[in-house]
Each structure stands twice: as structure tokens, then as C-alpha cells.
Amino acid sequence: MENTTLSPLETVHAAIKSQNIFAHAGIVRKQNIWEMKFPDVTTLNANASNTVLQALEKVKTSESDKVTSIVITAQHGVGKTHLLKRVCFQGRRKGETSFIYGNVGNYTDLNLINYNFQQSVADSLANLGNQEVTQWQEIAAAMVNGVVRTPKSPKDLIVQFDTVYNNSLERGQNLIDLLVQKINQIHKNIDPYIVRAILWTLSEKYSSYAVKWLSGNVLESTHAKFLELPANSEKNNQAREVEALKIVQQILSIVGHYHSIIICFDEIDTQYNKTNEAGLITPQVIALLVKSLYDTLYQSQLGQGVVLITVTLPDTWLTIDNMPGGIPDRLSAYTQRKPIELQPIDSNSIVELVKLWLGIFYTKKKLVPPHPIYPFEEKQLRDYGKQKTTVREAIQWCGQNFKVDIEILPQTPKERFELCLSREEELGEEFLEDSELIAEVLQFGFTSLIGHKISGQTSSGEKIEGLTIKEIAEILPKSKNNGWINFKIIGTEQNKELKIGVAVLQHSHGLSVGAGMTRLIDYETFDLTRGCLVRSKDKKIKKNWDSYEYLSFLTGQLGGEWVDLKLEEIHQIAKLYGVYQQREHYQLTEEQVLKLTCPEMLKNPLLLEILSDPSGNSEELIDPFPSNIPSDEKNIIDRELEDILNSFGKESQDEQNQSKKEKTVESLEDSKSTETRSDTSTVVQTTEKQWFDKDYKGKSIQSFILSEQKYEVNSWKDFLMSILTLMKLKHNRELDKLLKIKGRKRSFFSKNEKDLVKAEKISGSSIYVETNFSANQIVKLVYQIVKMFKYSEDSLKIELNE
């Protein structure tokens, strides 16, 4: 701000009156601990974060001591979670560090503590790392780059993975099998299923299924079969618990080969009264888990090292410190059993804190104040800092004192309400990027409608008749939701119970959208009668994202809804929410604000759209152009495939060729091309070949047209399965005719999947089809299928990626 003209004082004062920047400043929620935007007062408890980073460097560089642990204690409000965010941010910024955050408040069953922690590991690694891809994808890319000749960035591998995988199948190879085979030569003690699942996280389309499997959750059988992973469906809780720790140990072992690991356990005091079957309370259960991790990881091969951090209240640490069996020593090995105690804010830190947040405030307002901490004075702040209060208390104090000259407010609540509302700023487009804040605003809007009978009609024509909201509830179980569904609207309409789960998903990353959508369609777990996705229509969902299928399922079979988030429809709710936040300054009670807010909410189109019967239309949200690789880059992809496959060396390639000889299904008979020979000439004149006579070797399919209806596909196998699905829909009673289509020595269809080399079940039927074919073989088989069901030869056309 140096050498810049000061803003007019009345403009600065108006900005201060319009918004209290300290209303939520510095409060770190567990959901946003992963955000890379992180304003931080680095001098506050710098000793604690520096100690963690020093411990991280030690385990990384040590040849023998690869595991250590630290206990951090502090009273409520001192900034424990804030410190963890700093550690997460600084660790990821250094690169080659993976961060795992276990929020014990989500561990609802202490008898399944290992399984709960497995889910924390999977969910944590599904968050973005240092390279703008997920931590899982960073590890998967490192695994791939360790066995190929030409390393690629994680982003490049993700963009190319699905296409290269499909190309490998068309060439009679399986990219995943080849990679697993080679990677398991490096990680000999790792379950190959775990390696396979981590590799699948590179897929834009199937990554969320892989993460779901890695978290120990059940996969739908068709997904499990496609990924060639166990479905996890036949395990009881005891089996899950026993297996979970083994899986976690192997995951940490493979992650630790490439990255240093920080594992944090937070909020272990939140369920103090809970006990497990052995009678242990939550902190004791977590202490035993940390000890178990310390002991088992200490004996394993962790090239980059692990730091275990447990964050707790001082009194809780005293409980753990009295536990026998060397437990306290395992929890705080780096500091020789002595915990690091976080200190309250001091005179220097509060000046830095206020300067940081006011810098953000004035920059956003494009204002230059009289000095950086205006309207505070440095002496005022330093005197307060001498009281040694918590960070939370200091922020609250700042909020109460963030004001200019004493203002005489109007006498009536309505006038004070309207004055505050008039000072609220208009929203900018950046508001639509904050899913968490949007959810808070919507939740406030619906809260103001509790108990009111709502009737009306939306702009799209859906009616609401006598709907009454009874409650705005949180989503349970928390451990499974993990913050993705924001809240639940509970009410009645015409004596029919409603339980609407609302999820605001403005995220741009397909994995994040998929993580939210997979919860939103799980009505049974989260006790919903309807799921509602709130997302701006300009934030398209790509067809090759798994969330595309989830959205179709939500709006189709489940009767859920997508609601377009428009700035002009939410801005008034947001301004009213701003009044609610500043109610104390304007001498308004919560009841007064909600009452004065209600008339505006009753006619708000966004709230009415969420409450109304679903329209079922989600097409506007779908990106009609999947994020496949452009066709003009196909030669690059082919070379990339060759590079990856050839990287395994001659011996591995010979093994693959031998396997191919042993397993491959015999080729389908080639159809003869039509040739016309002149009686007076020996020159052969060949007519234009039809779709079933052409050579498709080395080519990739984009779409096909059947009976003038176009269908997009991702691969030749997808082409085959799409044709069969259409035959099932159109000719269900005759579908058994497929069993008559056979090769010279064996069948291509069967009701027993063991009869086939690589069987795939036709959706909705009991018939399996062989899929171990080349592109040309698939085309010949499709030709036989359409002829079987009496389609003319010219009723089908194939469109390629030229």
C-alpha cells in the first residue's frame, strides 16, 4: 500500500459498517483443511509447526529411524486444527509429502476403529496434493513412472490413461495387468489388488470406484468385475476390522516408498463418553491405534518416513499418559514423551493477525486505509494481547471492536434490519466458487421457513402445495457422509413425509463431484426421500466422469433433482444471511432476523426450486463433448502406448505373447469382400467396402448409428456392449437367440461365465458375452448380432476418431 493514494475516510467507514471481516476469520473447519489458499500468521505457535517439519525431515533423511510421533496439546480455541492446516499446507508445498487427516469426531463405532481409519486414509488421499491432482494420483503416477522409460507428469498420465487403456485392450494387451506385474516386482509384499486399485485412480472415469474400494466400501458387482477387484460384499464387521489394518499398513508402505507421510488425529476428545466393547474411551482407543501404527510401520520399509501427530486437550493427555505398555512413548517419541503445548496469542501475534485479515479485507474492497490495522491502534491490540487469550477469543474481540464512531441506530427492529441490509454488498461471480459458504446461505434460507406453510409455483412450472418444513437436520452418519451432503430438509407435503438431502457441488474436479454424488444417491444410508444437487449449469459434468452416471441415476431412477445455481437467485439470500451474521451490531435478535427474512424467502425461486417436485431435466448440466483426447493426437497416444508397453522389456513382452497364444479366443471368420471382375480385363474392381468389411486395426471408435439413432462410445468393447444392451431393450423375448452365435470350436455367448475367457454380463439379462476380441473381431460379431435380429446391413454405421 506504499506510495498509494489513501481512500476517502467516509468510503473506508462505509466498508467497515457493511461487513465484519472478523465474523468467521481464522476459524478452520475440518472440511476446508485441504484448501491451498491459506492466510496464516506464521509466528503463532511457530515452534510447534517447525518441530513437525523438523521431524518430517529427520525421518526422510534417516537411514534407520523412519517413524516418529508427536503429541500436541492445547485448550479449546487456541488453534489446534489451524495448526494442522498449516502443517498440511507447508508439507504439501514442499512436495513429495502425503497428508492424512483423521477426524475422530467422525469415528462413530469404536469397535471398528481400524476400518474408520482406513476410510480416513482413502478420503484424505483423494484430496488434492501439491501437483493439482489428488494424492492418490500422485502416488499412482510415481508408481507408473518407476517402471516406464519415459516419465510423465501426473496430469499427462490422467489425461491419456483411459484412452491408452482402451487402446491396449484393442491390441490384445491389458495396461493395468502389465503395470501391476512390473510394479509388484518392486513392491513384492504388497497385495496386487491394492496396486491395481491405486493405478485405477488415474482413470477420469473410474477413479472414484477405485477410491471407494480402497476405503473398504462395497463395490457394485459390475464395477468390481470391470476393475478386476474383489467386491468387498461378503465381509462382516469383524472381518472388515481385521483386514482394515493390514490394508492400511500396505497402503502406507507403498505411499511411504514415494512420499513422506504426515498422519494427524484430531478431535479425539469429541466423543469422550463413548466406549468400545473393552470399556476403553475414545482417547484410549485412538492411543492404541497410534501405538499399533507406530510398531508395525517401524518394522516395515518406509523409504520417505512417517510422522504421527495426535492433537488433544491437556487433561486428555494426562489420561493417555497413565496408560501402560509404553503407549505414551509411542505417541510422543520425537519429544521423548513430552507433548508440545500450544500457546495463547500474544501481543506480537495479535498485531500480525489483525494486519493479515484487514489486508485481505481492504484488498478485496480495493481500498487504502489510513494504516494497515485501521480502525484499530497498535497499542490497543498489544494491550489486549497481554491477556494471553485464545485465538478464538481474540477474533471474537476483534469482531466486537471492528467499528468506527458510535452510530445511532433506528428505533424499530424493521428499520435497523433494513439499514443493515442496505449496507450489504452485491455478490461477485467468485461467490459461486465457495460451495461451503453457499450451503451455509441456503441452510439459513430454509431455516427461516421452518413452520411456515409453503405454496406456489416455480419458474419451470413445478407446483408446491402446502409444504411445511419441520427441521433442517445434519447428515448422519457423519463418518460416511464426510461433509459432502450439506444438510437435510425434513418436512411434509400433503401428508407425505419429505427428507431432501441438499449437496452444493461447485467443484471443478471430477473426483470431488463424484465423491459428493455417490453420497447423494445413497438414500438408504442417509435416510433421504430425495437428493438435490445444487450446481451451476455452466459447470458442466463430463460424460466420462463417474458423476455423469450418478446424475442420470439420481434424476432418473431415484426421482432426485439437479437445481441450477444462479447468482441472481442466491444473492438476496446471501445478503440476508449477512444481516443475520451482523445482528448483534444492529441490536437484532435471531428471531427478529428470521421473521423479517421469511417473506423474501417464501418467494425466492432457488429455494422454491429445491423444494418443488423434480423436473427430471439434467441435460443442460451435461457436457456433450467428453474430455477425450482430440483425434488429431491419436498418433501421439499410439506412441505413448507403445512406449509404456515396450518399457517392460523383451522378456515380459514374450510372456504376454505366450499368454495370448494360450488364452485368446479364435478369430471370427472374415467376411469376403465383394469383388467384380470384368470379362474382358484382368483388373479387379473393388466396390466401396461396407462397415463390416473394413479393416479397423489400430483405429478407435467414436460413435455408431443404429436405425438413425446415434450413440457415443469410448472403446470397441463399449461398442459391443452398447449393441447388446440395445438388443436387450428392443428384443428381450428373443435374446436367447444370441446363444446360437458360435465360432468353429467354442461359443461367444453363454449363461455360465466360466465358459468364456473374459466374460461380461449383458445388462439386465442372464447371458454373458466373450469380450476378449480385437476391433475387427468385434465388428464381425456385431454384424452377426444385428443380422440375427433382422436389421439390414445399412441400418448401422460406425464413426471413427480420424
Side-chain angles (χ1 to χ4, degrees):
M1 293 184 184
E2 295 179 1
N3 301 322
T4 305
T5 304
L6 296 178
S7 300
L9 203 56
E10 59 270 20
T11 307
V12 175
H13 287 181
I16 292 172
K17 291 175 183 178
S18 71
Q19 181 185 0
N20 191 338
I21 186 65
F22 294 100
H24 294 289
I27 299 176
V28 180
R29 303 179 182 89
K30 60 181 180 294
Q31 291 94 336
N32 63 16
I33 197 168
W34 301 98
E35 294 175 0
M36 291 301 281
K37 295 178 181 178
F38 182 43
D40 184 24
V41 181
T42 55
T43 57
L44 183 61
N45 285 306
N47 66 310
S49 52
N50 289 341
T51 300
V52 172
L53 295 175
Q54 290 164 6
L56 187 67
E57 187 63 25
K58 180 180 178 181
V59 296
K60 185 175 183 177
T61 57
S62 173
E63 293 184 1
S64 55
D65 297 330
K66 306 305 293 184
V67 181
T68 194
S69 55
I70 294 172
V71 170
I72 296 174
T73 63
Q75 297 294 345
H76 288 298
V78 170
K80 300 186 295 293
T81 306
H82 180 94
L83 178 78
L84 292 184
K85 181 163 184 176
R86 179 193 297 165
V87 169
C88 171
F89 174 74
Q90 293 181 346
R92 287 192 294 164
R93 188 176 61 180
K94 281 175 163 291
E96 297 186 350
T97 301
S98 292
F99 184 83
I100 294 169
Y101 177 71
N103 186 281
V104 180
N106 291 331
Y107 293 3
T108 53
D109 189 342
L110 296 181
N111 297 305
L112 295 175
I113 196 66
N114 295 334
Y115 180 58
N116 280 319
F117 179 58
Q118 180 185 354
Q119 293 184 316
S120 288
V121 171
D123 287 344
S124 293
L125 294 176
N127 283 280
L128 292 183
N130 186 51
Q131 302 179 61
E132 297 183 0
V133 299
T134 70
Q135 297 185 98
W136 279 123
Q137 290 167 337
E138 289 180 346
I139 298 303
M143 289 163 55
V144 171
N145 286 332
V147 296
V148 299
R149 282 200 297 259
T150 309
K152 300 285 183 182
S153 71
K155 282 188 175 182
D156 286 343
L157 286 174
I158 292 165
V159 168
Q160 298 181 355
F161 187 85
D162 286 328
T163 300
V164 173
Y165 174 76
N166 290 330
N167 283 353
S168 74
L169 295 181
E170 290 166 14
R171 297 184 176 202
Q173 302 277 11
N174 186 307
L175 177 65
I176 295 285
D177 288 346
L178 294 176
L179 289 172
V180 169
Q181 178 188 10
K182 202 65 179 178
I183 291 167
N184 271 119
Q185 294 176 12
I186 299 172
H187 303 285
K188 296 181 179 179
N189 298 321
I190 302 298
D191 186 335
Y193 284 130
I194 294 176
V195 175
R196 177 178 292 274
I198 295 175
L199 288 171
W200 271 117
T201 65
L202 291 171
S203 166
E204 288 188 307
K205 189 170 184 179
Y206 299 104
S207 54
S208 63
Y209 299 118
V211 173
K212 186 176 182 180
W213 186 88
L214 287 162
S215 69
N217 289 328
V218 176
L219 285 184
E220 200 273 327
S221 59
T222 56
H223 294 146
K225 187 170 182 178
F226 178 83
L227 301 178
E228 298 183 80
L229 295 171
N232 288 336
S233 57
E234 298 179 358
K235 301 174 187 174
N236 57 30
N237 283 345
Q238 185 177 3
R240 289 184 190 280
E241 180 67 359
V242 171
E243 190 172 87
L245 189 59
K246 297 177 183 177
I247 293 174
V248 165
Q249 289 166 354
Q250 292 188 68
I251 289 173
L252 295 179
S253 178
I254 201 165
V255 173
H257 181 83
Y258 303 100
H259 283 187
S260 301
I261 307 173
I262 301 174
I263 302 175
C264 295
F265 291 96
D266 192 15
E267 298 189 16
I268 75 170
D269 324 89
T270 54
Q271 302 184 66
Y272 206 90
N273 295 325
K274 274 194 169 186
T275 59
N276 66 2
E277 292 176 350
L280 298 176
I281 60 176
T282 303
Q284 293 172 326
V285 173
I286 296 300
L288 285 171
L289 173 61
V290 176
K291 178 184 182 296
S292 176
L293 289 172
Y294 184 97
D295 290 342
T296 54
L297 294 175
Y298 196 84
Q299 301 169 19
S300 60
Q301 306 260 337
L302 292 164
Q304 303 300 313
V306 176
V307 177
L308 297 159
I309 302 174
T310 307
V311 185
T312 183
L313 296 169
D315 290 346
T316 302
W317 170 245
L318 293 178
T319 301
I320 297 172
D321 197 27
N322 291 323
M323 293 179 73
I327 293 175
D329 297 297
R330 298 294 194 277
L331 265 68
S332 55
Y334 189 72
T335 52
Q336 292 79 49
R337 192 167 174 155
K338 184 178 180 181
I340 301 173
E341 185 175 355
L342 299 189
Q343 299 301 314
I345 201 163
D346 59 21
S347 295
N348 291 326
S349 296
I350 191 171
V351 173
E352 292 301 314
L353 177 72
V354 172
K355 185 182 295 185
L356 175 68
W357 284 100
L358 285 180
I360 296 171
F361 175 72
Y362 288 125
T363 299
K364 184 177 179 181
K365 302 286 186 181
K366 299 180 181 178
L367 296 173
V368 182
H371 55 79
I373 58 174
Y374 187 84
F376 298 102
E377 296 294 336
E378 186 168 338
K379 183 178 185 305
Q380 175 192 18
L381 295 176
R382 290 190 177 277
D383 287 344
Y384 178 79
K386 292 176 182 178
Q387 299 180 31
K388 302 291 184 180
T389 62
T390 67
V391 175
R392 190 171 301 167
E393 290 170 337
I395 290 172
Q396 290 172 350
W397 178 86
C398 288
Q400 294 164 2
N401 291 275
F402 185 58
K403 55 190 176 183
V404 290
D405 49 38
I406 298 174
E407 183 177 16
I408 299 175
L409 296 172
Q411 290 188 350
T412 68
K414 184 175 181 181
E415 289 176 318
R416 295 195 295 274
F417 176 88
E418 290 175 347
L419 174 64
C420 182
L421 184 60
S422 69
R423 291 173 172 174
E424 283 294 310
E425 289 189 325
E426 297 296 320
L427 299 178
E429 290 291 337
E430 68 277 2
F431 176 81
L432 295 181
E433 301 301 319
D434 193 336
S435 298
E436 191 86 26
L437 180 56
I438 293 166
E440 287 182 14
V441 168
L442 289 175
Q443 187 167 351
F444 164 75
F446 287 116
T447 300
S448 70
L449 297 177
I450 291 177
H452 294 272
K453 186 159 284 190
I454 306 166
S455 296
Q457 184 171 321
T458 68
S459 58
S460 54
E462 288 81 35
K463 291 183 178 180
I464 303 174
E465 298 180 4
L467 187 151
T468 302
I469 297 176
K470 295 181 178 179
E471 180 187 359
I472 306 300
E474 67 176 337
I475 302 297
L476 300 174
K478 290 182 180 179
S479 59
K480 292 187 179 297
N481 181 46
N482 206 23
W484 287 106
I485 305 176
N486 300 110
F487 57 88
K488 184 194 304 184
I489 304 168
I490 299 177
T492 58
E493 184 176 15
Q494 297 181 330
N495 298 321
K496 182 180 178 182
E497 186 179 36
L498 290 175
K499 295 179 182 178
I500 305 173
V502 178
V504 181
L505 298 173
Q506 289 289 88
H507 309 76
S508 57
H509 198 285
L511 272 178
S512 298
V513 181
M517 289 294 294
T518 191
R519 272 84 171 179
L520 196 59
I521 62 176
D522 192 350
Y523 286 12
E524 182 177 355
T525 298
F526 301 112
D527 189 23
L528 305 176
T529 61
R530 187 196 307 168
C532 179
L533 167 67
V534 179
R535 183 176 174 87
S536 300
K537 73 176 182 181
D538 62 333
K539 294 183 175 294
K540 301 294 186 183
I541 289 179
K542 300 182 184 300
K543 282 193 173 182
N544 61 346
W545 289 3
D546 54 278
S547 44
Y548 165 72
E549 296 178 4
Y550 296 152
L551 179 62
S552 300
F553 187 59
L554 174 70
T555 59
Q557 291 94 316
L558 294 182
E561 184 171 25
W562 157 65
V563 172
D564 182 15
L565 181 65
K566 302 174 183 176
L567 187 64
E568 63 270 20
E569 292 183 353
I570 198 171
H571 87 282
Q572 188 66 8
I573 313 175
K575 290 173 71 173
L576 291 167
Y577 182 54
V579 175
Y580 175 79
Q581 291 176 302
Q582 299 186 67
R583 62 190 183 278
E584 292 181 5
H585 178 75
Y586 287 88
Q587 299 173 21
L588 294 166
T589 66
E590 181 174 356
E591 290 182 0
Q592 288 172 336
V593 174
L594 292 176
K595 182 179 180 180
L596 292 165
T597 293
C598 182
E600 195 69 39
M601 300 301 187
L602 283 169
K603 61 183 180 182
N604 183 271
L606 177 58
L607 300 186
L608 293 177
E609 192 68 48
I610 292 172
L611 293 174
S612 69
D613 287 336
S615 63
N617 179 25
S618 59
E619 289 304 312
E620 291 182 275
L621 189 58
I622 303 302
D623 186 350
F625 305 104
S627 60
N628 292 336
I629 301 171
S631 58
D632 59 356
E633 294 182 20
K634 184 175 186 305
N635 290 335
I636 298 175
I637 297 303
D638 286 343
R639 289 197 300 271
E640 174 67 15
L641 174 63
E642 291 293 345
D643 179 60
I644 290 177
L645 297 179
N646 291 337
S647 295
F648 297 98
K650 185 176 185 301
E651 180 181 354
S652 179
Q653 190 67 50
D654 289 344
E655 291 173 0
Q656 291 295 323
N657 291 336
Q658 180 62 31
S659 175
K660 184 178 178 183
K661 288 179 182 178
E662 293 172 355
K663 292 185 175 181
T664 189
V665 179
E666 74 273 12
S667 299
L668 297 165
E669 292 186 15
D670 291 335
S671 299
K672 295 181 180 180
S673 60
T674 304
E675 295 182 350
T676 303
R677 192 177 294 269
S678 170
D679 291 337
T680 59
S681 173
T682 59
V683 177
V684 176
Q685 297 176 334
T686 305
T687 62
E688 173 67 24
K689 290 185 177 181
Q690 298 194 60
W691 62 270
F692 50 85
D693 276 330
K694 294 180 180 179
D695 183 6
Y696 297 98
K697 184 177 180 181
K699 298 178 181 179
S700 61
I701 185 171
Q702 181 184 69
S703 60
F704 69 92
I705 298 172
L706 180 64
S707 300
E708 300 183 352
Q709 179 68 43
K710 186 172 181 178
Y711 303 91
E712 302 283 342
V713 290
N714 296 322
S715 66
W716 288 109
K717 176 186 171 184
D718 193 13
F719 169 49
L720 171 61
M721 299 310 299
S722 297
I723 289 289
L724 291 168
T725 301
L726 289 170
M727 296 304 107
K728 167 67 174 64
L729 293 172
K730 297 175 184 291
H731 310 282
N732 186 38
R733 294 183 179 180
E734 303 176 277
L735 201 66
D736 280 358
K737 286 183 177 181
L738 293 171
L739 300 172
K740 298 178 182 179
I741 300 177
K742 299 180 180 181
R744 289 190 298 271
K745 296 181 180 179
R746 58 189 303 174
S747 299
F748 299 131
F749 295 91
S750 176
K751 291 191 175 182
N752 184 354
E753 64 177 316
K754 293 182 180 179
D755 292 342
L756 310 174
V757 174
K758 195 162 187 178
E760 187 82 19
K761 195 172 186 180
I762 301 171
S763 179
S765 79
S766 60
I767 300 176
Y768 293 87
V769 59
E770 177 61 65
T771 62
N772 189 24
F773 293 132
S774 68
N776 285 329
Q777 291 171 331
I778 284 175
V779 171
K780 302 305 179 188
L781 180 55
V782 167
Y783 175 67
Q784 293 193 44
I785 293 168
V786 295
K787 292 288 286 183
M788 173 72 74
F789 292 102
K790 297 182 169 45
Y791 288 83
S792 64
E793 293 177 350
D794 60 357
S795 65
L796 190 144
K797 296 179 181 178
I798 293 174
E799 297 181 345
L800 302 173
N801 285 312
E802 298 297 343

